């Protein structure tokens, strides 16, 4: 997006009377009543909702335990099972015949799975896991394509109290290896290959490669789902086909009742160091927020067809594919493929074919489809019947007003509210978001906190700023679906999210924000740490730098982000080689090799879009790399900052030009 396009627009979009009338949370007064209830009796508010929306095997008596803050506990003496809440309770209520999942494969084949079928499949697979010795509390790594089986694997872990750690299928063997080791993983669930955009991409061989890197003795079992039938080596005694795991297993599996604080999953995400962190989520509090946000932000109703396009490898695919819509008894699409295959009309065609009513995707997808629609009239959304839509959502990064308006007009037909949901892997579910029957929308603003969430914009000292000023986004009170800890590193958890600068009392989101002077609406201004957001995916600059310097050619590297029309941010790397600075063709070749190297080390999503070579990097006399100068260079801006503290100002000229 170009600089002039970012931020908030001045157009206002109040909800129509019809939307207000039908919405679960109907009207501003209803929203304010919930906020007031939370303000007057914070724990009472969440306790009421937890009783109303979650089925407990043993009811809780404690609500919030702050005795070991910031390791907060919610509903700690209550017992439940998340899979029971997602499946059994709907089947028991007579909804067994309702379609839970509409799976559309890369090649367009469609499979429907009812709640009764899904429960049976989850139970059989859960029994199979137990038969292989996988127990409550064990860590299971899931490296699967978007598939019914992927959802079954997650639900089956939840059913037996095993802790899943889903790794996006685009991550490298090295990333898988790191995650296997960090969590002491006992089993891996994967597929032979995945289909994406008409191509077969390897999965099982990546797992093999990661296990061969060593130190993975904890892994006793590798379960392989046959997706493509491609060649796939099986190690006797360790590897077992999915069919064999479920063969002869009954379709009944008594859920393992766990304490509300029992970890449901770990999900690794990038931080400001080279090491990804295993964000740990709970069972009870997480489920509650998944349910509430699905019901209130998405206004999910029994007749809706819900489609969240996120992969199960990201938190959005956890909360709004694997858990939220199922816990609410909804019908949803699970899509294996990519938005541009066989053409860039795929999303619109699928909305038409499946009569999708609620559609949730990322700004980067919208921006790339705008481009496609502008150049290829045949895939313009006007060629499709999108009249089934009634609500749109956006997630992962700020949405620029121009993309918002296009989404609103061309996809939503000017009739569907857009919920621009701000949240994070760590928050478990939506934090700041419009509610469709409540909020007057302003393109580019995620508007107001979800009822009960206490968000604020503060200065460096943690003091709340007046509206109209930019500052640091924090959450001032613990909430049920918050991150519980970083797996194996409680100190890092405290330091990253509850820093002493704020006396350990405020949750630091890592984003900057401002509030509108009149409405108090929030606008997210982007990360304030060394984290980039590429197509709505988080990448640490340090992770990419570590990957680059691990290449034998590289002496030093610094990575920054720069604005990009489609991906939001793009990765730009400044590299010093151990040998002389390359030029022309040679520079191109080495840059290409390094990009592939990063893809191999982390995954293709971490590939720098641009690599520039220098004899050195701009450094202060004490040797600190001046990243803000690199950011300006990457953007192609003139350097207006004071460079008098630079040891080597002449280096800036060299780095100005793309190689
Ligand atoms: C970071 C979290 C939330 C699930 C997907 C990403 C950015 C997320 C928005 C939004 C502006 C947003 C923030 C946040 N972000 N949603 N609606 N508007 N920025 O989860 O990988 O944990 O990334 O994504 O910078 O901190 P994640």
């Amino acid at each position: 997006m170009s600089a002039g396009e970012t931020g908030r627009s001045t157009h206002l979009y109040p909800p129509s009377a019809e939307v207000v009338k039908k919405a679960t949370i109907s009207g501003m007064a209803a929203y304010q009543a919930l906020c007031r209830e939370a303000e007057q009796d914070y724990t009472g508010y969440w306790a009421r909702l937890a009783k109303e929306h979650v089925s407990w095997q043993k009811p809780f008596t404690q609500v919030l335990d702050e005795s070991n803050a910031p390791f907060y506990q919610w509903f700690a003496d209550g017992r439940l099972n998340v899979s029971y809440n997602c499946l059994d309770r709907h089947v028991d209520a007579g909804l067994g015949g309702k379609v839970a999942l509409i799976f559309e494969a890369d090649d367009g084949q469609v499979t429907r799975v009812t709640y009764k079928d899904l429960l049976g499949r989850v139970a059989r697979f859960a029994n199979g896991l137990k038969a292989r010795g996988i127990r409550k509390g064990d860590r299971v790594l899931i490296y699967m394509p978007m598939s019914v089986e992927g959802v079954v694997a997650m639900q089956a872990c939840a059913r037996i109290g095993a802790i899943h750690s889903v790794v996006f299928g685009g991550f490298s063997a090295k990333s898988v290896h790191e995650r296997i080791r960090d969590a002491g993983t006992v089993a891996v669930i994967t597929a032979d290959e995945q289909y994406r955009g008409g191509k077969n991409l390897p999965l099982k061989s990546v797992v093999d490669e990661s296990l061969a890197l060593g130190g993975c003795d904890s892994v006793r079992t590798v379960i392989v789902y046959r997706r493509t039938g491609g060649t796939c080596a099986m190690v006797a005694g360790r590897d077992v086909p999915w069919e064999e795991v479920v063969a002869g297993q009954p379709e009944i599996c008594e859920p393992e009742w766990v304490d509300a604080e029992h970890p449901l999953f770990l999900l690794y995400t990038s931080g400001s160091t080279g090491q990804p962190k295993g964000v740990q989520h709970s069972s009870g509090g997480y489920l509650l927020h998944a349910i509430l946000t699905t019901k209130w932000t998405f206004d999910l109703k029994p007749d809706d067809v819900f489609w969240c396009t996120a992969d199960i490898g990201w938190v959005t695919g956890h909360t709004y594919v694997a858990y939220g819509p199922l816990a609410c008894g909804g019908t949803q699409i699970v899509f294996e493929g990519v938005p541009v295959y066989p053409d860039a009309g795929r999303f619109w065609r699928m909305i038409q074919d499946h009569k999708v009513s609620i559609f949730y995707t990322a700004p980067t997808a919208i921006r790339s489809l705008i481009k496609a629609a502008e150049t290829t009239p045949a895939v313009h959304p006007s060629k499709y019947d999108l009249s089934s839509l009634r609500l749109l959502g956006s997630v992962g990064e700020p949405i620029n007003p121009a993309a918002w308006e296009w989404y609103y007009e061309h996809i939503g037909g000017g009739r569907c509210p857009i919920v621009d949901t701000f949240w994070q892997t760590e928050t478990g579910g939506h934090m700041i978001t419009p509610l469709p029957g409540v909020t007057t929308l302003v393109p580019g603003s995620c508007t107001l906190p979800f009822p009960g969430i206490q968000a604020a914009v503060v200065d460096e000292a943690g003091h709340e700023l007046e509206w109209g000023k930019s500052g640091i986004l924090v959450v001032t009170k613990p909430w049920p679906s918050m991150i519980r800890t970083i797996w194996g590193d409680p100190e890092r958890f405290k330091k990253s999210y509850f820093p002493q600068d704020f006396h350990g009392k405020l949750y630091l989101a890592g984003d900057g924000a401002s509030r509108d002077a009149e409405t108090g609406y929030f606008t997210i201004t982007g990360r304030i740490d060394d984290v980039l957001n590429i197509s709505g995916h988080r990448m640490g600059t340090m992770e990419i730098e570590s990957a680059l310097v691990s290449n034998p050619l590289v002496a030093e590297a610094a990575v920054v982000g720069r604005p990009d029309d489609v991906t939001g941010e793009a990765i730009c790397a400044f590299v010093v080689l151990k040998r002389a600075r390359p030029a022309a063709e040679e520079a191109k070749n080495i840059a290409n090799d390094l990009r592939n190297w990063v893809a191999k080390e982390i995954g293709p999503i971490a590939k720098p879009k641009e690599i520039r070579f220098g004899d050195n990097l701009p450094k202060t006399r004490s040797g600190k790399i001046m990243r803000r100068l690199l950011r300006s260079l990457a953007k192609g801006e003139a350097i207006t900052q004071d460079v008098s503290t630079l040891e080597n100002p002449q280096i800036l000229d060299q780095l100005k030009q793309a190689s």
Side-chain angles (χ1 to χ4, degrees):
M1 65 190 97
S2 66
E5 250 181 34
T6 54
R8 191 163 40 203
S9 119
T10 47
H11 292 170
L12 300 182
Y13 296 80
S16 72
E18 204 200 331
V19 169
V20 175
K21 200 169 113 214
K22 290 190 182 153
T24 299
I25 307 297
S26 174
M28 189 42 105
Y31 170 77
Q32 283 167 340
L34 289 166
C35 295
R36 213 172 315 115
E37 184 187 347
E39 228 158 81
Q40 285 163 0
D41 177 9
Y42 192 64
T43 55
Y45 168 80
W46 290 112
R48 172 178 74 77
L49 295 170
K51 281 178 200 152
E52 284 174 13
H53 295 268
V54 173
S55 302
W56 298 90
Q57 188 248 357
K58 172 173 171 274
F60 57 89
T61 63
Q62 306 158 5
V63 184
L64 169 63
D65 179 353
E66 305 186 84
S67 58
N68 190 25
F71 301 93
Y72 298 99
Q73 304 209 325
W74 284 91
F75 320 120
D77 66 343
R79 270 212 250 129
L80 79 163
N81 179 280
V82 170
S83 160
Y84 174 88
N85 272 272
C86 292
L87 303 170
D88 308 60
R89 67 167 169 170
H90 308 311
V91 175
D92 294 349
L95 292 175
K98 180 170 178 176
V99 173
L101 307 179
I102 302 171
F103 173 69
E104 182 161 321
D106 195 49
D107 69 3
Q109 252 195 54
V110 175
T111 320
R112 287 185 173 72
V113 184
T114 65
Y115 273 93
K116 182 169 174 293
D117 294 341
L118 188 60
L119 174 58
R121 289 170 73 161
V122 168
R124 288 181 73 197
F125 192 66
N127 284 327
L129 292 176
K130 283 202 283 192
R132 309 251 148 205
I134 297 158
R135 297 276 173 268
K136 176 181 168 187
D138 284 347
R139 274 79 61 207
V140 175
L141 187 136
I142 299 178
Y143 190 61
M144 293 276 278
M146 277 301 277
S147 51
V148 172
E149 285 71 15
V151 175
V152 167
M154 292 167 80
Q155 284 283 340
C157 286
R159 197 160 188 92
I160 67 170
I163 305 168
H164 60 66
S165 159
V166 184
V167 178
F168 174 61
F171 275 112
S172 68
K174 203 154 163 242
S175 299
V176 172
H177 178 249
E178 236 169 38
R179 287 155 175 73
I180 285 175
R181 295 206 5 131
D182 188 75
T185 306
V186 306
V188 177
I189 305 171
T190 188
D192 50 358
E193 296 177 313
Q194 56 182 334
Y195 289 123
R196 272 175 86 83
K199 287 196 225 85
N200 295 27
L201 301 172
L203 287 172
K204 171 62 163 60
S205 64
V206 180
V207 171
D208 289 341
E209 211 183 305
S210 69
L211 292 172
L213 291 171
C216 300
D217 296 343
S218 58
V219 177
R220 298 185 303 262
T221 313
V222 177
I223 298 169
V224 186
Y225 160 58
R226 276 271 173 196
R227 175 63 187 117
T228 67
T231 48
C232 166
M234 298 292 275
V235 174
R238 188 195 71 185
D239 301 353
V240 40
W242 180 288
E243 311 83 75
E244 220 169 280
V245 173
V246 296
Q249 293 295 349
E251 291 200 343
I252 291 173
C253 172
E254 174 68 10
E256 178 83 40
W257 304 106
V258 300
D259 293 341
E261 281 297 317
H262 182 71
L264 178 64
F265 65 84
L266 309 180
L267 185 57
Y268 285 81
T269 188
S270 297
S272 2
T273 75
Q275 271 301 311
K277 38 196 183 186
V279 171
Q280 179 180 318
H281 276 289
S282 70
S283 299
Y286 171 82
L287 178 68
L288 172 62
H289 206 57
I291 293 173
L292 287 180
T293 50
T294 303
K295 288 185 180 169
W296 294 358
T297 312
F298 294 128
D299 197 43
L300 186 77
K301 301 272 172 52
D303 295 335
D304 276 310
V305 177
F306 178 82
W307 184 15
C308 162
T309 65
D311 191 281
I312 52 168
W314 310 108
V315 73
T316 310
H318 282 58
T319 310
Y320 302 110
V321 178
Y323 293 113
L326 292 176
C328 297
T331 296
Q332 70 173 316
I333 309 286
V334 172
F335 176 43
E336 180 178 42
V338 296
V340 293
Y341 178 81
D343 60 45
R346 184 70 185 262
F347 275 4
W348 321 138
R349 192 174 318 112
M350 283 179 64
I351 291 172
Q352 167 182 284
D353 290 354
H354 300 296
K355 300 199 163 42
V356 172
S357 55
I358 305 170
F359 181 65
Y360 189 39
T361 197
T364 189
I366 298 164
R367 287 192 295 263
S368 72
L369 296 174
I370 293 175
K371 275 200 165 175
E374 280 167 358
T375 51
T376 316
V379 298
H380 194 277
S382 58
K383 299 285 191 298
Y384 304 87
D385 175 6
L386 304 179
S387 60
S388 57
L389 286 170
R390 68 177 188 90
L391 182 68
L392 301 174
S394 170
V395 63
E397 49 178 324
I399 179 164
N400 49 309
W404 195 103
E405 308 262 359
W406 187 91
Y407 195 30
Y408 189 79
E409 287 306 328
H410 294 280
I411 307 306
R415 113 196 134 256
C416 308
I418 298 178
V419 289
D420 174 2
T421 60
F422 167 82
W423 60 297
Q424 310 174 292
T425 305
E426 291 87 343
T427 69
H430 305 154
M431 297 299 279
I432 308 180
T433 178
L435 301 186
V438 171
T439 320
T440 293
L441 306 170
V442 176
S445 168
C446 53
T447 76
L448 294 170
F450 190 81
I453 299 298
Q454 313 293 318
V457 178
V458 300
D459 64 17
E460 305 277 331
H463 300 304
E464 187 154 359
L465 290 169
E466 298 164 42
W467 291 1
K469 296 221 163 96
S470 293
I472 300 166
L473 181 66
V474 294
V475 185
T476 61
K477 277 195 180 151
W479 67 101
S481 66
M482 66 194 294
I483 173 178
R484 292 309 195 260
T485 189
I486 293 175
W487 183 263
D489 203 347
E491 278 311 308
R492 188 173 176 197
F493 164 75
K494 282 205 270 190
K495 252 178 63 196
S496 311
Y497 303 111
F498 292 93
Q500 273 316 312
D501 320 10
F502 300 151
H503 311 290
K505 294 260 183 261
L506 302 178
Y507 169 84
L508 180 71
D511 284 290
S514 66
R515 300 188 68 166
D516 181 79
E518 269 147 51
T519 57
Y521 277 15
F522 287 78
T523 291
I524 307 298
T525 50
R527 299 290 305 191
I528 52 173
D529 52 10
D530 296 320
V531 169
L532 306 181
N533 190 323
I534 320 300
S535 302
H537 299 318
R538 242 159 99 172
M539 280 311 330
T541 53
M542 291 270 282
E543 273 172 83
I544 306 168
E545 288 168 11
S546 319
L548 283 167
V549 295
S550 72
N551 183 291
L553 287 177
V554 176
E556 216 176 352
V559 166
V560 299
R562 71 160 148 78
D564 184 277
D565 274 352
V566 173
T567 59
E569 261 186 309
I571 302 168
C572 182
F574 295 88
V575 172
V576 182
L577 296 181
K578 289 177 184 160
R579 33 150 294 177
R581 184 164 66 101
E585 208 48 33
E586 192 187 16
K588 272 209 189 98
N589 292 339
I590 298 180
N592 220 20
D593 290 349
L594 290 180
R595 294 175 71 246
N596 292 333
W597 173 273
V598 173
K600 192 85 189 125
E601 287 287 297
I602 303 174
I605 48 169
K607 267 189 181 183
K609 178 146 187 190
E610 189 185 345
I611 296 185
R612 295 190 195 176
F613 297 102
D615 296 325
N616 202 341
L617 299 171
K619 286 179 192 150
T620 61
R621 291 194 178 89
S622 59
K624 222 174 131 250
I625 297 174
M626 296 198 57
R627 284 166 192 284
R628 57 187 176 82
L629 293 180
L630 292 176
R631 275 193 280 272
S632 302
L633 288 175
K635 274 192 221 163
E637 283 172 3
I639 304 281
T640 52
Q641 296 106 321
D642 178 17
V643 295
S644 59
T645 55
L646 266 194
E647 165 88 53
N648 50 353
Q650 71 288 352
I651 207 73
L652 295 176
D653 277 333
Q654 204 179 76
L655 294 172
K656 224 180 249 166
Q657 286 101 33
S659 22

